[in-house]
Amino acid sequence: MTQGGLRERKKAERREALGHAARTLVAQESLDGVTVEAICARVGVSPRTFFNYYETKEDAVLGLGVDSAPPEDSEARRAFAAGGPTGDLLTDAATVLAESFEGWLPPGEMECLVGLLSREPRLLARHVGWMERGRESMQRLVVEREQVLPTGTHPVVTVSLVGVLIRISGELCRESGSGSPTQFLPEAVRQVRAAARA
């Protein structure tokens, strides 16, 4: 493994460790009862290091790292906006989603987070805000694509279908107990098509 690859792996491991510590501590206590310092002490890093990975303790619990959002001009997004990579709307949307799933929490961690969202209103509000920003970003992308490769489908409908793909692949991943939702996206696309035909 190259030096750069090793460095990136260590960064990912530290980010995951901080997120896991944040979720574990908040599950044991409460969001208000946990400090950034306590999260750092659990992992053995300084608060300065923490803020290289997360802006807030809420983001650490949610797994929303400072570099976790795909860039707005990523290759996958550019290809989608240009009508590709295959020309099939759902398949191409799944390609964009695969990029978004790169930082997805493992099933066990996701179960913990779902429980915390039901207990902590501030976490839920931040999570909903993040989801809404993602929806708005996807809708802008769909509008761009419709100008290049019109389908006649309203962007709101397309974005809603993208939301369904997220939900299905996430649930299939949770049921399997391992892996990432990315590997379940083809099945999610197949299920949506089957439902549409039915």
Side-chain angles (χ1 to χ4, degrees), residues 4 14-15 21 57 73 96 137 171-172 192:
R14 183 166 286 168
R15 181 173 56 246
K57 65 181 178 182
D73 65 342
V96 175
S137 175
E171 284 295 315
L172 291 175
V192 169

Side-chain angles (χ1 to χ4, degrees), residues 17-113:
L18 286 165
H20 175 72
R23 284 183 289 278
T24 301
L25 288 169
V26 172
Q28 291 170 351
E29 301 179 38
S30 69
L31 187 61
D32 288 332
V34 173
T35 63
V36 167
E37 289 75 15
I39 296 168
C40 293
R42 177 67 67 100
V43 179
V45 300
S46 69
R48 182 174 179 177
T49 297
F50 174 92
F51 291 112
N52 289 333
Y53 294 92
Y54 297 104
E55 291 184 5
T56 66
K57 65 181 178 182
E58 289 84 357
D59 285 354
V61 174
L62 294 170
L64 304 179
V66 294
D67 59 353
S68 61
E72 287 283 325
D73 65 342
S74 70
E75 186 176 334
R77 293 173 70 86
R78 284 195 302 270
F80 180 86
T86 70
D88 178 83
L89 184 59
L90 281 181
T91 300
D92 294 348
T95 302
V96 175
L97 286 180
E99 182 181 65
S100 302
F101 282 147
E102 285 180 7
W104 194 267
L105 297 176
E109 295 283 309
M110 186 59 73
E111 292 286 345
C112 176
L113 176 57

Side-chain angles (χ1 to χ4, degrees), residues 89-146:
L89 184 59
L90 281 181
T91 300
D92 294 348
T95 302
V96 175
L97 286 180
E99 182 181 65
S100 302
F101 282 147
E102 285 180 7
W104 194 267
L105 297 176
E109 295 283 309
M110 186 59 73
E111 292 286 345
C112 176
L113 176 57
V114 169
L116 294 176
L117 289 174
S118 67
R119 277 177 34 192
E120 301 284 353
R122 285 206 324 273
L123 280 180
L124 180 59
R126 197 164 183 87
H127 178 68
V128 169
W130 176 76
M131 293 288 288
E132 180 60 18
R133 288 191 296 275
R135 188 198 63 76
E136 290 170 354
S137 175
M138 190 68 195
Q139 186 156 324
R140 288 193 298 272
L141 206 57
V142 169
V143 169
E144 285 184 51
R145 181 186 172 101
E146 281 294 316

